[in-house]
Amino acid sequence: MESDRDYSADLAAQEAAAREYQPQLEGPLVGERTPSHAITEAYAKADPVYVQKTLALPQTYSHYRPVQGDGNCGWRAIGFGYFEALVQTGNAQLVGAERDRLIQFPILDHSEMVYEDMRDEVAFLMNDIQAAMPDQEAAMDVLVQKFNDLDVANHILYYLRLLTSSFLKGDPNATEYLGFIPEDIGVVGFCQNYLELPGREIEHVGILLLYNVLLKPCAMVIEIAYLDRSPGPEVNTYRIPSEAEGRDPSSLGPVIYLLFRPDHYDILYPHPPPSAAHDIQVHRVSALSHEHQIASNIQNNFQAFGDGAVDMTALTLIPGVSGLGMGMPPLAAPAPSSIESYSPSPQSPWMPSPFADAIPIRQPQPQLKQEQPAPSRRAMSVVSQTVGSRTPPLRFSEYCHPQVAENYTSHEPCFTTSTFKNSHFNTAHYNNPNFQPEEYRPEQDESNYEVVRPTGKRRSH
Amino acid sequence: MASQKRIQKELAECTRSPPPGMSIALASESNLHKWHVVLQGPPNTPYAGGTFGLVVTLPVEYPFKAPAVTFATRIYHPNVTNDSQGSICLGALKPENWKPASKLLGVLEAVRALLVEPMPDDPLEARIAEEYKADRKEFEKNARAYVARYAKGQPKFDGEAGGAEAAKS
């Protein structure tokens, strides 16, 4: 009897513990818009497929918004994307019309008392957005704040689940989804055990249904980028509806971009269309804070792949930080022989634009800062010295602005060593832990490459 | 706490048309999240003639988290812990099964159904479950003895989870 009691108490305790169990989730439910380089950094040490794909990611998507992975992230990401897209239209009338459409949608199989609080929260959200609407920023603040209030967000997201399950139940063409629905549970069972089960991740059919009930009436489109181990240099993207596949985004309605990693969705933001040069400047500034991460990415790449195969041509776009000095000539006159001996592979895929794009803005070293407070000006002055007046004040990445880059990058000197030489990976750099001052030897001017190359190998420290 | 409207309506529904033999009231008027339920043992069961107290606790996240239901009165049952906790093993209340679209009326009905038909294959009290399966007569005798000992008269809800002290002395 006594042991039985212990046993049952254990069981009860275990059950209680299971009931109370909450995985430790970090961060806000819906995070801030974050430069997508952060993803690249997070995968810098992952396996090469991920490294390659995440390095390519910032070329297409400038920012992402992390979404908490509590089992509702797909719902949360698409729901947030929908409201954000509404805000971006700037059309307060549309918000009102959508609110009316959503709250009048017939919810099947549940009494009103079950969902009225949820429906009310959706209505409140859309009222608040509408009220803030002339000011899109204020409307976004409302949205972010509501989506980060757990209680409010629970109500809103569950209403989306109910909309979706009601749509499925009420859809005479539901047979087209049957292929996705486990046969033994049927439509009703699927609604109960998948769509209406909180914390149950959205699946493909859930996304299709949510698209149909929520997005299709406003002509919105979902584009999902799959970050997985499938072969290929970039993430594969997939659009819902499939008719939107291959079309220019400008010919589509609002597009909600999602990043899918196995079992998780985040929101992505592509670069704005390359319409004006000042866009590019904006990106450059936004990359300022990533000096460290990019440096570490480079380091990791080198560790992973060895230096032999790395495409050094991309790095020629990077002006030096310290040792280069204003008066130092080598950039202007690379020795052809050293380039040949280096034999860069020009198409190497894991040296995409972020490096060329971001590294020029590396913070100058402290002493230099006093003389040259603005790193970009520094970069420019190097450029103008080396390639003369035909170079635009900014170096365009070929990925940001293909035509411009084509016209100008060909004039860039093809000297591949200054990057190493001037980085802290070089032992001659005072920031290197194994700092070794370099001696000036005039006879080595033509063979800088050989001098620097060993330091490239030292990166494993 | 955006669910006050719903809890109020659910409470109204449960008080208006409760499952047979149940009466529902708030533990205190100021708190919608704790209900006291008095359950008459269903007829034609060993629990007939007993009066059981149930405590329903709604988490602040309700309905996004399951309510908790416990017996405040001791009961001899395979699915209720035989102690002062009175925890109930009810599938619908498990976190992985709970749906915000479920209603408390349904939960209370399920608790009553559990007294009519215990589920010995999903027990909290393995010994009682064994006895229920192997020696129904002995089980019923013990259950009736518990009723006579603990479940006569108005149930007491003192203490957070009720308890053995609620037994009639």
Side-chain angles (χ1 to χ4, degrees):
Chain A
M1 182 74 194
E2 200 53 42
S3 64
D4 277 345
R5 283 197 169 197
D6 291 343
Y7 174 58
S8 64
D10 282 355
L11 261 184
Q14 206 172 10
E15 224 220 355
R19 196 162 42 226
E20 300 302 315
Y21 174 75
Q22 278 285 304
Q24 287 300 309
L25 298 167
E26 286 178 7
L29 296 171
V30 176
E32 290 294 315
R33 247 176 86 115
T34 311
S36 53
H37 296 291
I39 300 177
T40 315
E41 186 178 51
Y43 281 88
K45 290 184 176 164
D47 88 53
V49 180
Y50 282 118
V51 171
Q52 188 177 17
K53 288 186 177 186
T54 54
L55 276 172
L57 204 62
Q59 292 167 24
T60 317
Y61 306 99
S62 62
H63 289 77
Y64 84 112
R65 193 186 289 276
V67 175
Q68 192 174 86
D70 63 350
N72 295 307
C73 58
W75 297 93
R76 207 182 294 283
I78 296 175
F80 187 92
Y82 163 77
F83 291 114
E84 183 174 37
L86 282 182
V87 170
Q88 304 298 337
T89 63
N91 184 346
Q93 245 180 340
L94 176 66
V95 176
E98 279 295 288
R99 175 198 57 218
D100 294 345
R101 181 174 74 84
L102 296 189
I103 66 179
Q104 283 162 16
F105 197 91
I107 302 295
L108 303 181
D109 292 350
H110 296 292
S111 55
E112 194 179 358
M113 75 163 90
V114 163
Y115 61 81
E116 66 180 329
D117 291 315
M118 306 167 188
R119 189 188 56 195
D120 287 354
E121 284 299 343
V122 172
F124 295 154
L125 168 67
M126 296 179 90
N127 288 341
D128 290 357
I129 287 180
Q130 198 181 21
M133 198 64 168
D135 180 351
Q136 291 195 3
E137 238 170 77
M140 281 307 294
D141 287 346
V142 167
L143 177 58
V144 169
Q145 180 252 320
K146 290 256 188 186
F147 261 71
N148 278 305
D149 181 322
L150 180 64
D151 192 46
V152 172
N154 276 340
H155 281 76
I156 294 170
L157 295 187
Y158 204 77
Y159 193 67
L160 296 184
R161 286 180 181 268
L162 289 176
L163 283 176
T164 305
S165 69
S166 300
F167 175 84
L168 175 61
K169 290 173 194 163
D171 182 7
N173 301 318
T175 44
E176 64 179 287
Y177 306 108
L178 287 182
F180 298 106
I181 296 177
E183 263 177 38
D184 52 329
I185 57 172
V187 167
V188 172
F190 183 75
C191 290
Q192 284 177 355
N193 298 312
Y194 289 80
L195 300 177
E196 294 177 8
L197 198 60
R200 180 90 195 203
E201 196 39 86
I202 199 167
E203 290 171 28
H204 181 69
V205 62
I207 294 182
L208 283 183
L209 289 163
L210 187 56
Y211 161 75
N212 274 299
V213 71
L214 192 64
L215 308 180
K216 193 177 180 185
C218 333
M220 291 184 191
V221 172
I222 304 179
E223 180 178 306
I224 305 174
Y226 287 91
L227 178 54
D228 52 23
R229 296 175 50 98
S230 61
E234 287 184 20
V235 292
N236 299 309
T237 62
Y238 179 82
R239 279 184 188 160
I240 299 172
S242 49
E243 300 85 70
E245 215 70 69
R247 288 172 52 187
D248 189 272
S250 60
S251 71
L252 301 170
V255 182
I256 299 169
Y257 296 89
L258 302 176
L259 173 65
F260 179 76
R261 293 175 257 188
D263 284 334
H264 187 67
Y265 287 94
D266 289 311
I267 302 168
L268 283 172
Y269 298 93
H271 289 282
S275 52
H278 67 257
D279 282 350
I280 293 165
Q281 283 176 315
V282 169
H283 296 319
R284 286 175 175 257
V285 172
S286 75
L288 247 176
S289 57
H290 295 280
E291 172 205 4
H292 164 72
Q293 105 193 25
I294 287 156
S296 66
N297 284 338
I298 295 178
Q299 183 175 17
N300 286 313
N301 290 324
F302 274 77
Q303 284 171 2
F305 301 112
D307 42 344
V310 173
D311 170 16
M312 293 302 168
T313 52
L315 299 180
T316 63
L317 305 183
I318 302 164
V321 173
S322 62
L324 183 57
M326 288 303 108
M328 193 168 166
L331 260 184
S337 60
S338 66
I339 292 170
E340 275 167 33
S341 70
Y342 192 72
S343 69
S345 48
Q347 291 309 317
S348 174
W350 15 273
M351 275 296 165
S353 66
F355 297 128
D357 206 22
I359 290 188
I361 326 181
R362 289 176 57 126
Q363 301 280 356
Q365 308 303 333
Q367 309 106 303
L368 290 168
K369 207 166 195 167
Q370 289 154 5
E371 314 158 20
Q372 294 284 344
S376 54
R377 195 180 310 147
R378 226 177 113 69
M380 277 183 254
S381 62
V382 173
V383 173
S384 51
Q385 278 185 11
T386 45
V387 287
S389 55
R390 290 183 56 204
T391 309
L394 287 173
R395 261 180 277 223
F396 296 106
S397 150
E398 59 182 303
Y399 296 101
C400 308
H401 218 143
Q403 303 84 4
V404 179
E406 212 169 276
N407 291 342
Y408 290 101
T409 53
S410 55
H411 300 293
E412 297 285 349
C414 259
F415 189 68
T416 55
T417 62
S418 56
T419 309
F420 296 115
K421 184 162 178 158
N422 299 307
S423 77
H424 66 273
F425 299 117
N426 187 343
T427 49
H429 190 283
Y430 76 96
N431 261 359
N432 190 293
N434 304 315
F435 176 56
Q436 263 306 333
E438 202 174 26
E439 287 170 52
Y440 174 61
R441 279 179 244 150
E443 69 276 13
Q444 286 196 343
D445 259 0
E446 290 295 291
S447 50
N448 269 333
Y449 168 65
E450 281 79 13
V451 172
V452 172
R453 189 177 162 107
T455 63
K457 285 182 177 164
R458 302 193 61 126
R459 282 159 196 246
S460 50
H461 308 280
Chain B
M1 301 290 267
S3 301
Q4 300 302 307
K5 216 190 266 181
R6 165 163 171 174
I7 297 177
Q8 250 153 9
K9 291 201 173 174
E10 287 209 63
L11 179 65
E13 182 187 58
C14 290
T15 13
R16 198 172 53 244
S17 47
M22 280 199 189
S23 64
I24 292 112
L26 287 180
S28 93
E29 284 304 318
S30 59
N31 182 7
L32 276 173
H33 289 260
K34 183 159 269 181
W35 300 8
H36 282 171
V37 179
V38 177
L39 162 64
Q40 305 298 333
N44 305 319
T45 69
Y47 307 107
T51 307
F52 299 89
L54 289 168
V55 179
V56 179
T57 311
L58 308 184
V60 282
E61 296 94 341
Y62 183 83
F64 299 100
K65 273 199 183 153
V69 184
T70 54
F71 271 90
T73 308
R74 281 190 71 161
I75 183 169
Y76 192 82
H77 191 287
N79 307 104
V80 182
T81 56
N82 189 11
D83 59 16
S84 59
Q85 302 295 316
S87 310
I88 307 177
C89 174
L90 204 58
L93 295 185
K94 291 182 181 166
E96 67 272 23
N97 294 335
W98 173 255
K99 298 181 191 67
S102 320
K103 291 199 293 182
L104 284 163
L105 188 61
V107 171
L108 294 179
E109 277 164 359
V111 172
R112 185 177 184 276
L114 206 55
L115 296 199
V116 175
E117 191 165 357
M119 296 196 285
D121 292 329
D122 192 13
L124 277 180
E125 291 288 348
R127 193 193 57 78
I128 299 179
E130 269 318 300
E131 187 182 80
Y132 179 84
K133 285 198 277 195
D135 187 352
R136 185 69 60 88
K137 279 229 160 61
E138 181 66 17
F139 165 78
E140 290 184 356
K141 196 183 104 193
N142 284 329
R144 277 198 206 91
Y146 264 65
V147 169
R149 202 165 143 206
Y150 297 112
K152 293 294 181 187
Q154 214 39 35
K156 290 186 184 156
F157 292 100
D158 37 304
E160 265 296 294
E165 312 80 48
K168 252 211 143 333
S169 47

mmCIF file of all heavy atoms in Angstrom, chain A residues 413-437:
data_model
loop_
_atom_site.group_PDB
_atom_site.id
_atom_site.type_symbol
_atom_site.label_atom_id
_atom_site.label_comp_id
_atom_site.label_asym_id
_atom_site.label_seq_id
_atom_site.Cartn_x
_atom_site.Cartn_y
_atom_site.Cartn_z
ATOM 1 N N PRO A 413 41.349 47.762 -59.412
ATOM 2 C CA PRO A 413 42.595 47.009 -59.515
ATOM 3 C C PRO A 413 42.377 45.582 -59.030
ATOM 4 O O PRO A 413 41.580 45.337 -58.138
ATOM 5 C CB PRO A 413 43.547 47.762 -58.587
ATOM 6 C CG PRO A 413 42.656 48.492 -57.647
ATOM 7 C CD PRO A 413 41.392 48.798 -58.404
ATOM 8 N N CYS A 414 43.088 44.681 -59.622
ATOM 9 C CA CYS A 414 42.892 43.279 -59.297
ATOM 10 C C CYS A 414 43.957 42.780 -58.339
ATOM 11 O O CYS A 414 44.474 41.684 -58.479
ATOM 12 C CB CYS A 414 42.921 42.456 -60.583
ATOM 13 S SG CYS A 414 41.275 42.046 -61.095
ATOM 14 N N PHE A 415 44.300 43.589 -57.406
ATOM 15 C CA PHE A 415 45.361 43.203 -56.501
ATOM 16 C C PHE A 415 44.748 42.527 -55.281
ATOM 17 O O PHE A 415 43.848 43.066 -54.646
ATOM 18 C CB PHE A 415 46.122 44.450 -56.093
ATOM 19 C CG PHE A 415 47.354 44.133 -55.339
ATOM 20 C CD1 PHE A 415 48.405 43.513 -55.994
ATOM 21 C CD2 PHE A 415 47.456 44.432 -54.004
ATOM 22 C CE1 PHE A 415 49.547 43.213 -55.293
ATOM 23 C CE2 PHE A 415 48.604 44.125 -53.316
ATOM 24 C CZ PHE A 415 49.658 43.522 -53.965
ATOM 25 N N THR A 416 45.190 41.366 -54.957
ATOM 26 C CA THR A 416 44.410 40.561 -54.028
ATOM 27 C C THR A 416 44.952 40.506 -52.624
ATOM 28 O O THR A 416 44.418 39.816 -51.785
ATOM 29 C CB THR A 416 44.331 39.125 -54.551
ATOM 30 O OG1 THR A 416 45.657 38.676 -54.754
ATOM 31 C CG2 THR A 416 43.527 39.069 -55.814
ATOM 32 N N THR A 417 45.978 41.185 -52.327
ATOM 33 C CA THR A 417 46.593 40.922 -51.032
ATOM 34 C C THR A 417 46.348 41.982 -49.978
ATOM 35 O O THR A 417 46.518 41.722 -48.804
ATOM 36 C CB THR A 417 48.110 40.784 -51.176
ATOM 37 O OG1 THR A 417 48.591 42.022 -51.652
ATOM 38 C CG2 THR A 417 48.447 39.676 -52.141
ATOM 39 N N SER A 418 45.936 43.141 -50.358
ATOM 40 C CA SER A 418 45.875 44.212 -49.360
ATOM 41 C C SER A 418 44.875 43.898 -48.257
ATOM 42 O O SER A 418 45.053 44.287 -47.108
ATOM 43 C CB SER A 418 45.503 45.524 -50.038
ATOM 44 O OG SER A 418 44.293 45.347 -50.731
ATOM 45 N N THR A 419 43.857 43.164 -48.608
ATOM 46 C CA THR A 419 42.858 42.846 -47.595
ATOM 47 C C THR A 419 43.477 42.078 -46.439
ATOM 48 O O THR A 419 43.247 42.381 -45.274
ATOM 49 C CB THR A 419 41.761 41.983 -48.209
ATOM 50 O OG1 THR A 419 41.324 42.624 -49.363
ATOM 51 C CG2 THR A 419 40.629 41.816 -47.219
ATOM 52 N N PHE A 420 44.246 41.102 -46.825
ATOM 53 C CA PHE A 420 44.887 40.314 -45.766
ATOM 54 C C PHE A 420 45.874 41.153 -45.015
ATOM 55 O O PHE A 420 45.914 41.193 -43.796
ATOM 56 C CB PHE A 420 45.641 39.136 -46.367
ATOM 57 C CG PHE A 420 44.735 38.177 -47.050
ATOM 58 C CD1 PHE A 420 44.819 37.992 -48.405
ATOM 59 C CD2 PHE A 420 43.782 37.501 -46.321
ATOM 60 C CE1 PHE A 420 43.971 37.124 -49.017
ATOM 61 C CE2 PHE A 420 42.945 36.637 -46.936
ATOM 62 C CZ PHE A 420 43.028 36.438 -48.305
ATOM 63 N N LYS A 421 46.603 41.840 -45.807
ATOM 64 C CA LYS A 421 47.699 42.581 -45.231
ATOM 65 C C LYS A 421 47.179 43.583 -44.208
ATOM 66 O O LYS A 421 47.801 43.809 -43.182
ATOM 67 C CB LYS A 421 48.423 43.313 -46.353
ATOM 68 C CG LYS A 421 49.633 44.030 -45.845
ATOM 69 C CD LYS A 421 50.554 44.376 -46.979
ATOM 70 C CE LYS A 421 51.739 45.143 -46.425
ATOM 71 N NZ LYS A 421 52.869 45.063 -47.333
ATOM 72 N N ASN A 422 46.035 44.133 -44.490
ATOM 73 C CA ASN A 422 45.534 45.190 -43.641
ATOM 74 C C ASN A 422 44.507 44.723 -42.638
ATOM 75 O O ASN A 422 43.907 45.518 -41.942
ATOM 76 C CB ASN A 422 44.956 46.298 -44.517
ATOM 77 C CG ASN A 422 46.023 46.854 -45.406
ATOM 78 O OD1 ASN A 422 47.082 47.248 -44.927
ATOM 79 N ND2 ASN A 422 45.780 46.842 -46.702
ATOM 80 N N SER A 423 44.284 43.455 -42.581
ATOM 81 C CA SER A 423 43.331 42.963 -41.591
ATOM 82 C C SER A 423 44.095 42.552 -40.344
ATOM 83 O O SER A 423 45.328 42.379 -40.379
ATOM 84 C CB SER A 423 42.569 41.770 -42.150
ATOM 85 O OG SER A 423 43.399 40.630 -42.093
ATOM 86 N N HIS A 424 43.363 42.389 -39.295
ATOM 87 C CA HIS A 424 44.045 42.007 -38.062
ATOM 88 C C HIS A 424 44.460 40.553 -38.068
ATOM 89 O O HIS A 424 45.019 40.056 -37.104
ATOM 90 C CB HIS A 424 43.165 42.324 -36.854
ATOM 91 C CG HIS A 424 41.914 41.513 -36.795
ATOM 92 N ND1 HIS A 424 40.768 41.920 -37.437
ATOM 93 C CD2 HIS A 424 41.637 40.345 -36.207
ATOM 94 C CE1 HIS A 424 39.838 41.027 -37.225
ATOM 95 N NE2 HIS A 424 40.314 40.063 -36.497
ATOM 96 N N PHE A 425 44.150 39.856 -39.175
ATOM 97 C CA PHE A 425 44.630 38.476 -39.258
ATOM 98 C C PHE A 425 46.112 38.446 -39.618
ATOM 99 O O PHE A 425 46.775 37.429 -39.481
ATOM 100 C CB PHE A 425 43.830 37.706 -40.306
ATOM 101 C CG PHE A 425 42.380 37.634 -39.971
ATOM 102 C CD1 PHE A 425 41.428 38.227 -40.797
ATOM 103 C CD2 PHE A 425 41.964 37.008 -38.809
ATOM 104 C CE1 PHE A 425 40.090 38.165 -40.467
ATOM 105 C CE2 PHE A 425 40.635 36.954 -38.487
ATOM 106 C CZ PHE A 425 39.693 37.546 -39.308
ATOM 107 N N ASN A 426 46.543 39.530 -40.110
ATOM 108 C CA ASN A 426 47.946 39.642 -40.472
ATOM 109 C C ASN A 426 48.751 39.872 -39.205
ATOM 110 O O ASN A 426 48.426 40.742 -38.390
ATOM 111 C CB ASN A 426 48.075 40.834 -41.425
ATOM 112 C CG ASN A 426 49.470 40.934 -41.986
ATOM 113 O OD1 ASN A 426 50.408 40.329 -41.459
ATOM 114 N ND2 ASN A 426 49.599 41.697 -43.047
ATOM 115 N N THR A 427 49.799 39.117 -39.066
ATOM 116 C CA THR A 427 50.604 39.300 -37.849
ATOM 117 C C THR A 427 51.255 40.671 -37.832
ATOM 118 O O THR A 427 51.692 41.140 -36.799
ATOM 119 C CB THR A 427 51.710 38.236 -37.750
ATOM 120 O OG1 THR A 427 52.379 38.181 -38.996
ATOM 121 C CG2 THR A 427 51.123 36.889 -37.408
ATOM 122 N N ALA A 428 51.305 41.297 -38.996
ATOM 123 C CA ALA A 428 51.899 42.627 -39.031
ATOM 124 C C ALA A 428 50.928 43.698 -38.569
ATOM 125 O O ALA A 428 51.280 44.865 -38.474
ATOM 126 C CB ALA A 428 52.379 42.939 -40.449
ATOM 127 N N HIS A 429 49.702 43.276 -38.310
ATOM 128 C CA HIS A 429 48.702 44.239 -37.867
ATOM 129 C C HIS A 429 48.739 44.328 -36.355
ATOM 130 O O HIS A 429 48.785 43.292 -35.672
ATOM 131 C CB HIS A 429 47.331 43.779 -38.345
ATOM 132 C CG HIS A 429 46.270 44.806 -38.151
ATOM 133 N ND1 HIS A 429 45.704 45.050 -36.927
ATOM 134 C CD2 HIS A 429 45.683 45.642 -39.030
ATOM 135 C CE1 HIS A 429 44.799 46.006 -37.054
ATOM 136 N NE2 HIS A 429 44.776 46.391 -38.325
ATOM 137 N N TYR A 430 48.672 45.521 -35.835
ATOM 138 C CA TYR A 430 48.886 45.643 -34.393
ATOM 139 C C TYR A 430 47.775 44.988 -33.593
ATOM 140 O O TYR A 430 47.914 44.732 -32.414
ATOM 141 C CB TYR A 430 49.054 47.108 -33.985
ATOM 142 C CG TYR A 430 47.775 47.873 -33.966
ATOM 143 C CD1 TYR A 430 47.056 48.037 -32.778
ATOM 144 C CD2 TYR A 430 47.260 48.413 -35.137
ATOM 145 C CE1 TYR A 430 45.871 48.714 -32.764
ATOM 146 C CE2 TYR A 430 46.076 49.093 -35.124
ATOM 147 C CZ TYR A 430 45.382 49.243 -33.949
ATOM 148 O OH TYR A 430 44.206 49.921 -33.928
ATOM 149 N N ASN A 431 46.645 44.692 -34.248
ATOM 150 C CA ASN A 431 45.557 44.033 -33.523
ATOM 151 C C ASN A 431 45.724 42.519 -33.471
ATOM 152 O O ASN A 431 44.951 41.834 -32.834
ATOM 153 C CB ASN A 431 44.224 44.342 -34.207
ATOM 154 C CG ASN A 431 43.509 45.456 -33.485
ATOM 155 O OD1 ASN A 431 44.008 45.957 -32.475
ATOM 156 N ND2 ASN A 431 42.351 45.854 -33.982
ATOM 157 N N ASN A 432 46.700 42.024 -34.182
ATOM 158 C CA ASN A 432 46.895 40.581 -34.187
ATOM 159 C C ASN A 432 47.533 40.150 -32.869
ATOM 160 O O ASN A 432 48.474 40.787 -32.395
ATOM 161 C CB ASN A 432 47.796 40.201 -35.366
ATOM 162 C CG ASN A 432 47.834 38.699 -35.565
ATOM 163 O OD1 ASN A 432 48.362 37.982 -34.716
ATOM 164 N ND2 ASN A 432 47.280 38.241 -36.665
ATOM 165 N N PRO A 433 47.024 39.063 -32.300
ATOM 166 C CA PRO A 433 47.611 38.616 -31.016
ATOM 167 C C PRO A 433 49.097 38.274 -31.157
ATOM 168 O O PRO A 433 49.848 38.343 -30.187
ATOM 169 C CB PRO A 433 46.785 37.387 -30.640
ATOM 170 C CG PRO A 433 45.911 37.079 -31.806
ATOM 171 C CD PRO A 433 45.874 38.261 -32.702
ATOM 172 N N ASN A 434 49.508 37.873 -32.344
ATOM 173 C CA ASN A 434 50.918 37.548 -32.561
ATOM 174 C C ASN A 434 51.624 38.661 -33.342
ATOM 175 O O ASN A 434 52.352 38.418 -34.287
ATOM 176 C CB ASN A 434 51.036 36.237 -33.338
ATOM 177 C CG ASN A 434 50.309 35.124 -32.647
ATOM 178 O OD1 ASN A 434 50.426 34.963 -31.434
ATOM 179 N ND2 ASN A 434 49.510 34.376 -33.398
ATOM 180 N N PHE A 435 51.357 39.848 -32.940
ATOM 181 C CA PHE A 435 51.849 41.016 -33.674
ATOM 182 C C PHE A 435 53.366 40.951 -33.913
ATOM 183 O O PHE A 435 54.133 40.741 -32.977
ATOM 184 C CB PHE A 435 51.485 42.269 -32.877
ATOM 185 C CG PHE A 435 52.021 43.521 -33.480
ATOM 186 C CD1 PHE A 435 51.704 43.845 -34.789
ATOM 187 C CD2 PHE A 435 52.822 44.373 -32.734
ATOM 188 C CE1 PHE A 435 52.185 45.019 -35.345
ATOM 189 C CE2 PHE A 435 53.298 45.538 -33.292
ATOM 190 C CZ PHE A 435 52.981 45.861 -34.599
ATOM 191 N N GLN A 436 53.740 41.079 -35.147
ATOM 192 C CA GLN A 436 55.141 41.093 -35.564
ATOM 193 C C GLN A 436 55.325 42.261 -36.517
ATOM 194 O O GLN A 436 54.855 42.179 -37.650
ATOM 195 C CB GLN A 436 55.449 39.809 -36.349
ATOM 196 C CG GLN A 436 56.083 38.660 -35.592
ATOM 197 C CD GLN A 436 57.346 39.021 -34.863
ATOM 198 O OE1 GLN A 436 58.065 39.942 -35.233
ATOM 199 N NE2 GLN A 436 57.608 38.301 -33.784
ATOM 200 N N PRO A 437 55.966 43.298 -36.097
ATOM 201 C CA PRO A 437 56.115 44.424 -37.039
ATOM 202 C C PRO A 437 56.802 43.962 -38.327
ATOM 203 O O PRO A 437 57.686 43.111 -38.309
ATOM 204 C CB PRO A 437 56.990 45.419 -36.284
ATOM 205 C CG PRO A 437 56.931 44.986 -34.869
ATOM 206 C CD PRO A 437 56.635 43.529 -34.838
#
